[in-house]
Amino acid sequence: MIINADLHIHGRYSMATSKNMSPVTMAPQAKLKGLDLVATGDALHQKWLNIIEETTEETSDGIFSLKDGTIPEGSEDVPETLDDTDLCKFILTTEVEDIKRVHHVIIFPSLESVHALRSKLNGNMDADGRPKIRMKGDEIMDAAHEEGCIIGPSHAFTPWTSIYKEYDSVYDCYGRKPDFLELGLSADTDMADRIEELQDITFLTNSDAHSPWPHRLGREFNEMELKEFTFNGVKDSILNGNIHSNYGFDPRLGKYHKTACSKCYRKYEISEAIKLNWRCPCGGKIKKGVDYRIYELSKWDEPHHPPERPPYIHILPLAEIISSTYCKGVTTVFVQKIWKELVYKFGNEINVLIQTPLEEIEAVDPKLSKVIKAFRTNTLHIESGGGGKYGEIMFEQDTLDSYF
Ligand SMILES: [Zn+2]
Ligand SMILES: [Zn+2]
């Protein structure tokens, strides 16, 4: 069985997370995105766990489905064509911050293991959806493994809270190989496979979404082969490298791709940043870009993909393609109208982005079909992100003219 899974999101009790975040909104939205499985996120947080337990039920080992009748009748965000029984399912996950401010993703086999880990980890589990744990990475890994969980670093190369901002090797953090490594939005497989120690580690591509809408949820995901649709199926697929493809951003679109100021977002060459002692004249801190961090860690100038490494397929949220196509000033309502028209017609967003024949998209929206073509042929212009600001799709006027 092949599924699309997004294994890292946050619930509504995490900082800066949409109050709309709930299994009831996520299950249909994730399905419209093209996902079969989505993380619950924040499972260690008692209030969020209550919501999960109230709205979902375990339908196979470690896999949860929305309870019948949970979605209000006539909900505007759910098309009539979407079958209740075929909504996206959930797996219990959390992200934690360790004592060194390094983030880790943990995936749980059961509710029991969530409760057991809650009592083992040292920290206030209910202060934030992503708890701060007063333990080191290896101690958290030990506790997680004792409860049958799998664990690996989140957004491994970012400058504030990742494993590689703190250590030069994942082994310095865990003392052994992590179960997986999450690439984060600012890196892809071509970049990470320049680092020798990652050759035998499975890469995950997850959204880290803070809102249930499809420009966030599933903006990165994993196409995985499962022997069975259970926690063990997911675990085996990750540990044995049965990921078919990683889907994710062009890393230039990530928030931390280039070295830049975290306040005014001005980009810097490394030599310049060092000369300024990582302080921007505006008063902000200059943060090292993921591209440069990977260069520092790399053994090779070019990617050395191990034979089992799956392809990495670049995707973009369709809503962003729509708003870029219709340029500045378009309203969210307008973007949503077109998004719904396409997604409801062609089944889900991934289809529209990757599979639906261009002629069929053209029949609905000729302007957009040209931009989707440019996206599929990898000829969109991208202005890199950095310092906490996402990269942007850019249309020069003449490029735009050549599209239309
Ligand atoms: Zn994080
Ligand atoms: Zn600045």
Side-chain angles (χ1 to χ4, degrees):
M1 170 194 312
I2 296 190
I3 65 156
N4 291 333
D6 175 359
L7 300 171
H8 177 183
I9 66 112
H10 289 281
R12 66 170 72 165
Y13 299 103
S14 278
M15 261 206 322
T17 299
S18 161
K19 295 294 161 257
N20 287 317
M21 211 49 152
S22 90
V24 179
T25 42
M26 282 192 283
Q29 290 304 317
K31 195 68 198 183
L32 293 173
K33 184 79 190 193
L35 299 175
D36 306 292
L37 183 67
V38 68
T40 61
D42 301 355
L44 292 169
H45 190 279
Q46 188 60 58
K47 282 188 182 163
W48 182 242
L49 194 55
N50 292 346
I51 294 180
I52 295 167
E53 293 199 70
E54 278 158 24
T55 53
T56 69
E57 58 195 348
E58 191 169 5
T59 42
S60 61
D61 284 348
I63 304 294
F64 294 76
S65 306
L66 210 59
K67 283 181 188 163
D68 276 350
T70 324
I71 296 180
E73 281 292 324
S75 169
E76 257 187 37
D77 296 314
V78 185
E80 282 163 20
T81 47
L82 197 65
D83 187 347
D84 255 27
T85 58
D86 193 33
L87 296 172
C88 188
K89 294 180 168 40
F90 295 93
I91 190 163
L92 295 159
T93 70
T94 190
E95 183 179 42
V96 297
E97 181 171 304
D98 74 17
I99 200 160
K100 300 274 194 186
R101 291 202 70 205
V102 172
H103 287 187
H104 311 267
V105 171
I106 301 174
I107 307 175
F108 298 89
S110 62
L111 282 167
E112 293 69 43
S113 64
V114 171
H115 291 292
L117 201 62
R118 253 181 80 86
S119 58
K120 272 189 181 169
L121 296 180
N122 179 13
N124 180 354
M125 298 300 139
D126 300 322
D128 189 274
R130 173 179 51 224
K132 290 184 164 69
I133 310 294
R134 289 185 292 276
M135 293 162 75
K136 293 191 304 180
D138 58 337
E139 295 167 334
I140 295 174
M141 180 180 264
D142 281 343
H145 281 166
E146 277 166 27
E147 299 311 324
C149 304
I150 53 173
I151 176 170
S154 327
H155 42 75
F157 311 101
T158 55
W160 294 102
T161 52
S162 78
I163 195 163
Y164 281 118
K165 67 89 192 165
E166 190 64 29
Y167 304 98
D168 286 333
S169 164
V170 291
Y171 293 86
D172 292 342
C173 175
Y174 298 118
R176 76 209 99 146
K177 191 171 104 168
D179 299 319
F180 54 83
L181 174 137
E182 185 185 84
L183 291 171
L185 304 177
S186 300
D188 64 6
T189 303
D190 276 354
M191 294 171 70
D193 270 339
R194 292 164 55 198
I195 301 170
E196 190 175 24
E197 69 172 13
L198 300 183
Q199 294 274 293
D200 62 347
I201 297 177
T202 297
F203 294 156
L204 292 183
T205 32
N206 300 318
S207 72
D208 202 350
H210 289 59
S211 111
W213 313 118
H215 67 299
R216 295 281 186 258
L217 196 63
R219 59 189 169 172
E220 301 213 336
F221 65 89
N222 312 280
E223 185 185 287
M224 323 171 65
E225 181 163 349
L226 305 188
K227 289 209 186 82
E228 49 178 42
F229 202 166
T230 60
F231 167 80
N232 277 329
V234 171
K235 178 181 168 183
D236 281 353
S237 171
I238 292 173
L239 296 186
N240 300 322
N242 275 331
I243 309 284
H244 268 212
S245 303
N246 291 108
Y247 283 80
F249 275 18
D250 182 308
R252 292 173 297 170
L253 287 168
K255 281 201 267 194
Y256 296 107
H257 185 67
K258 287 283 178 198
T259 299
C261 171
S262 59
K263 199 168 159 200
C264 73
Y265 307 119
R266 189 181 146 189
K267 284 177 213 145
Y268 285 94
E269 292 299 327
I270 286 294
S271 55
E272 217 182 338
I274 293 169
K275 222 185 282 166
L276 290 168
N277 203 20
W278 302 91
R279 276 280 167 201
C280 180
C282 84
K285 269 189 191 172
I286 302 172
K287 298 309 279 183
K288 191 183 283 177
V290 163
D291 69 333
Y292 194 78
R293 185 64 186 129
I294 288 179
Y295 164 80
E296 288 179 319
L297 297 161
S298 63
K299 174 178 167 108
W300 304 293
D301 290 336
E302 297 292 324
H304 269 223
H305 297 302
E308 357 22 278
R309 185 72 73 211
Y312 186 105
I313 298 162
H314 288 145
I315 49 163
L316 259 177
L318 178 59
E320 261 158 54
I321 295 185
I322 297 169
S323 64
S324 304
T325 304
Y326 288 94
C327 295
K328 320 282 177 236
V330 289
T331 60
T332 347
V333 177
F334 178 82
V335 172
Q336 270 174 8
K337 183 181 154 284
I338 298 180
W339 185 89
K340 279 184 182 169
E341 207 172 313
L342 288 163
V343 169
Y344 290 11
K345 188 170 170 70
F346 300 115
N348 65 51
E349 183 174 322
I350 305 302
N351 285 348
V352 178
L353 286 173
I354 299 191
Q355 272 153 9
T356 307
L358 285 170
E359 313 83 74
E360 291 181 32
I361 299 176
E362 200 179 345
V364 182
D365 191 322
K367 209 170 173 181
L368 195 64
S369 77
K370 295 203 173 76
V371 182
I372 290 180
K373 183 179 174 195
F375 157 73
R376 288 187 187 176
T377 53
N378 205 14
T379 50
L380 286 175
H381 295 261
I382 292 172
E383 176 70 30
S384 297
K389 183 170 177 274
Y390 288 111
E392 282 177 85
I393 317 166
M394 303 299 278
F395 292 111
E396 318 262 337
Q397 196 50 48
D398 52 338
T399 331
L400 201 60
D401 292 342
S402 72
Y403 287 154
F404 305 130

